[in-house]
Amino acid sequence: MLVEPKMKLLLELLNSSSREELIWMNGYLAGLLAQPQHAQQAAPATAAAPAAIAAEVKPAVQKITIAYGTETGNSKKVATDFASQAKKRGITAKLVSLDQYRLNDLSKEEYFFTIISTQGEGEPPATAKKFYDHIHQNGFKLNQLKFGVLALGDTSYPLFCKAGEDVDTQLQKLGGQRIVSLQRCDVDYQTEASTWFADVLTQLTTAGSTAPAASVAVGTPIARKGTGKKIYKGTILTNVNLNDRGSSKETHHIEIGTEEEVDYAPGDSIGIIPENSKAVVDTILALGFSNNGTPVTFRNETDSIFNHLKKRINVAWLPERVVKQYAAIVKQDIPETKIGLVDLLKIYPVKDVQQFYEVVNILEPITPRLYSISSSPAAHGGEVHITVARDTFYINQELKFGLCSDFLSQHLTVSSEIDFYIHKNSQFRLPESGKDVIMIGPGTGIAPFRSFLAERDASGAEGRNWLFFGDQHFVSDFLYQTELQNWLQTGALTNISLAFSRDQKYKIYVQHRILEKAGELWSWLNGGAYVYICGAKEPMSVDVEQALLQVIQRYGGKTGEQAIQYLDQLKEEGRYLKDVY
């Protein structure tokens, strides 16, 4: 027990310290207590700067590897911060992206920590795919490995941290020793991530004196703090098709009005949970022998079966894991495939309403869809705009539509109400007002760049703006044509390079316009311009990057390898940014 003067000093220190400082103190004290008694007695009794104190405690571990797998850049940001903290504690931290990590080095690692996000249906990001496959497909052993996994995700999705969970489980199966428990993080990950790494540093400082960390059961819920997402209520003000007659596409410009100001920045997206159509829900209820008013509980929420199926439950394309559970319930062999609930019920029917409710219990929530915001806080106060392409495809020669794009474009008329949240994208931000900007966004990739241009125009930014836009036909598919021409005339838009692929015998895409303007483009790049790409990941963003590499080689006088290094340097400087899907 502390005597009163010391207790008073301690309380004053604790009350005046930030959470991060308290976390640091916790790790420092744990390390200090782990030292031999004479070392503790020799510790300075007077206050000292944190860096100086940290130097007094010699870490038991001298070298670690921090590897990250990222899609949007969050994992990299977290990993970089962790490496910096480790170095301040006297630990050499090798920082590496999982797509650059030499897989053969894993069996040589002693302390290995990975920060990895999850994409789509519980998949690892593209940059982590090789590593993910390597640890799952090879029968090697990692008996000397000590590891920890930080999993980033979004609790709006059923398998929000699945990739991190899989890596954590597999490293243990291969013989690795988990020294810190798996930490799952929602979109507001900063606090949990900092606490997790403070625990890592404590374990490294006291290595050899603690037992292995327990695993965390897959599916264990995390404290969501209200999921960290503010839900806004909006009203549809405008819903118009931007494509003209004769177009093979439908691209809707949708304006959402809100009573309260929405906290967003150009580059952010909104998250929307679509609803299933009444016709589809009625069909499901008929096939399931159910009355639409029957109350049921789904994911701890009680409502009528009709409302659950319309507003909360995914019935459009059930993933293979759900189809497998359905097969077990109806006791039939069903091929492993994605299929809609209506087709499942028709082909492999349930025998009665009780069995139908068993099926309802295994279904998953509708996942939100993200749409780049195409409005600007400075230019469109009290409103949020999005640009939505109605997704169409065929299955067995029957025309189908994407659930959310169809919901937004066809079922939300003027005055309809809608809930949404803001998905921040700190990796896709405008630079300082005086910097030049090159924007490459064919099709609906134009959305964030309409936001960029409106924001820069409204705020009087001095930097130049160059837009590369493309679609199929000039007459029918030139999205936001009038606005772009107005910005060009007023000088808000310095250059615009257009590529309409079907207006001539041979197809012209934005990458061809980049090569045509290579000399001027290099001048902008070499002068400090920022480059942004938005739209389809493949093949568009890949083809555009290849074109940029050719520009750098031809006008920058660089070899192929040097051009890649130049582009990598732009990425490190935050001057080459992508939002692709």
Side-chain angles (χ1 to χ4, degrees):
M1 181 69 181
L2 291 176
V3 295
E4 187 173 343
K6 288 185 178 181
M7 176 63 78
K8 183 178 179 181
L9 287 173
L10 176 62
L11 291 175
E12 287 177 355
L13 175 62
L14 295 177
N15 291 333
S16 64
S17 298
S18 67
R19 178 177 176 80
E20 287 71 24
E21 289 170 331
L22 291 171
I23 291 170
W24 183 90
M25 290 180 213
N26 175 60
Y28 169 66
L29 290 172
L32 189 63
L33 291 171
Q35 304 306 306
Q37 188 173 3
H38 64 82
Q40 294 177 30
Q41 293 170 345
T46 56
I53 297 175
E56 297 285 338
V57 182
K58 299 293 185 183
V61 175
Q62 301 297 315
K63 182 180 179 182
I64 64 173
T65 294
I66 302 176
Y68 59 88
T70 188
E71 192 79 21
T72 64
N74 287 336
S75 295
K76 178 181 179 181
K77 180 180 178 183
V78 172
T80 302
D81 181 53
F82 288 171
S84 176
Q85 291 182 46
K87 289 174 183 177
K88 289 177 182 177
R89 297 286 288 269
I91 301 169
T92 300
K94 175 186 175 183
L95 179 66
V96 61
S97 172
L98 283 172
D99 62 340
Q100 300 294 321
Y101 183 73
R102 290 185 301 190
L103 300 177
N104 290 337
D105 286 353
L106 188 59
S107 59
K108 307 171 189 174
E109 299 279 8
E110 187 174 2
Y111 288 91
F112 181 84
F113 302 95
T114 185
I115 298 93
I116 184 170
S117 61
T118 295
Q119 311 304 315
E121 293 289 338
E123 299 142 10
T127 55
K129 188 68 166 62
K130 284 193 301 183
F131 175 84
Y132 183 91
D133 291 344
H134 177 69
I135 63 173
H136 281 84
Q137 296 173 0
N138 294 276
F140 51 83
K141 285 294 180 183
L142 301 172
N143 294 328
Q144 70 174 14
L145 184 74
K146 299 173 183 64
F147 73 92
V149 177
L150 179 72
L152 301 186
D154 183 337
T155 49
S156 298
Y157 296 83
L159 303 178
F160 81 104
C161 279
K162 183 68 161 55
E165 291 172 350
D166 290 348
V167 169
D168 180 79
T169 299
Q170 192 62 21
L171 290 178
Q172 186 186 41
K173 284 183 179 179
L174 294 174
Q177 176 186 321
R178 184 189 295 106
I179 66 167
V180 288
S181 296
L182 167 70
Q183 175 65 60
R184 300 185 191 86
C185 296
D186 198 359
V187 289
D188 52 340
Y189 56 82
Q190 289 85 354
T191 299
E192 285 82 2
S194 296
T195 302
W196 178 83
F197 197 64
D199 192 13
V200 169
L201 291 176
T202 299
Q203 297 301 322
L204 297 179
T205 305
T206 61
S209 63
T210 57
S215 63
V216 178
V218 174
T220 300
I222 65 168
R224 299 192 184 188
K225 299 180 297 182
T227 72
K229 304 179 186 69
K230 176 177 174 57
I231 303 299
Y232 293 94
K233 293 190 176 297
T235 303
I236 303 299
L237 304 176
T238 302
N239 189 339
V240 296
N241 181 11
L242 296 174
N243 298 100
D244 211 336
R245 285 175 297 180
S247 176
S248 63
K249 301 181 175 184
E250 268 188 59
T251 310
H252 285 248
H253 171 74
I254 300 174
E255 298 179 358
I256 304 170
T258 59
E259 291 186 2
E260 61 177 316
E261 200 66 29
V262 179
D263 178 21
Y264 77 93
D268 288 340
S269 301
I270 68 171
I272 294 172
I273 298 179
E275 294 184 8
N276 296 306
S277 72
K278 182 179 183 299
V280 167
V281 174
D282 287 342
T283 301
I284 291 170
L285 290 173
L287 292 168
F289 312 102
S290 177
N291 184 301
N292 62 10
T294 302
V296 297
T297 300
F298 178 76
R299 302 296 171 103
N300 298 319
E301 187 169 354
T302 302
D303 203 342
S304 70
I305 183 64
F306 179 88
N307 284 341
H308 277 313
L309 288 170
K310 191 172 192 308
K311 299 179 179 180
R312 302 180 186 93
I313 298 177
N314 173 46
V315 301
W317 297 108
L318 308 186
E320 293 179 10
R321 60 182 175 274
V322 174
V323 175
K324 186 176 181 180
Q325 294 177 74
Y326 182 99
I329 290 172
V330 299
K331 297 179 174 55
Q332 295 196 55
D333 291 329
I334 302 176
E336 292 185 4
T337 183
K338 282 189 173 184
I339 186 172
L341 182 58
V342 169
D343 290 335
L344 260 185
L345 288 167
K346 286 180 177 178
I347 302 170
Y348 309 98
V350 294
K351 66 180 182 180
D352 53 34
V353 69
Q354 283 72 29
Q355 198 172 69
F356 172 67
Y357 288 138
E358 284 186 60
V359 168
V360 170
N361 195 48
I362 66 165
L363 298 177
E364 296 178 349
I366 299 172
T367 57
R369 273 64 164 180
L370 298 178
Y371 291 91
S372 296
I373 296 174
S374 52
S375 55
S376 148
H380 306 101
E383 298 179 10
V384 177
H385 303 173
I386 54 176
T387 309
V388 180
R390 191 185 188 196
D391 185 25
T392 60
F393 53 96
Y394 285 88
I395 294 181
N396 297 325
Q397 299 182 329
E398 182 181 354
L399 180 63
K400 302 283 188 180
F401 301 99
L403 176 62
C404 195
S405 63
D406 191 60
F407 167 71
L408 290 170
S409 63
Q410 305 302 309
H411 299 284
L412 289 184
T413 56
V414 172
S415 298
S416 297
E417 295 183 350
I418 186 172
D419 293 346
F420 65 92
Y421 65 90
I422 298 298
H423 182 86
K424 296 287 186 179
N425 187 354
S426 59
Q427 305 301 313
F428 204 73
R429 288 283 186 259
L430 278 167
E432 299 171 10
S433 63
K435 301 295 184 181
D436 295 336
V437 170
I438 299 167
M439 299 162 283
I440 305 164
T444 54
I446 186 68
F449 302 140
R450 178 180 183 263
S451 175
F452 280 18
L453 288 165
E455 183 78 6
R456 296 198 107 193
D457 184 34
S459 61
E462 304 91 0
R464 297 178 297 173
N465 304 297
W466 187 349
L467 174 67
F468 287 83
F469 172 75
D471 215 309
Q472 291 187 350
H473 298 285
F474 176 89
V475 172
S476 59
D477 304 317
F478 192 169
L479 308 183
Y480 300 113
Q481 178 181 355
T482 301
E483 283 183 312
L484 293 174
Q485 289 175 334
N486 288 340
W487 278 324
L488 194 61
Q489 291 170 0
T490 61
L493 184 55
T494 312
N495 289 348
I496 185 168
S497 297
L498 302 171
F500 293 100
S501 60
R502 308 300 199 274
D503 281 349
Q504 56 282 312
K505 292 182 179 178
Y506 51 92
K507 294 179 180 178
I508 295 178
Y509 297 109
V510 287
Q511 62 265 26
H512 299 125
R513 297 305 188 204
I514 288 171
L515 294 174
E516 288 176 6
K517 301 289 185 178
E520 186 178 3
L521 190 65
W522 170 251
S523 176
W524 279 52
L525 267 182
N526 206 36
Y530 285 62
V531 181
Y532 298 84
I533 302 173
C534 183
K537 182 182 295 185
E538 293 182 352
M540 186 277 295
S541 71
V542 175
D543 293 339
V544 165
E545 185 158 305
Q546 289 303 311
L548 290 173
L549 289 171
Q550 290 183 53
V551 171
I552 296 166
Q553 288 180 67
R554 188 186 311 170
Y555 287 89
K558 301 183 184 299
T559 65
E561 184 61 32
Q562 289 172 335
I564 293 172
Q565 292 173 356
Y566 181 91
L567 206 56
D568 286 342
Q569 183 61 35
L570 292 186
K571 294 176 185 176
E572 291 297 322
E573 295 172 1
R575 288 177 50 208
Y576 180 61
L577 304 165
K578 294 191 287 187
D579 183 10
V580 295
Y581 37 83

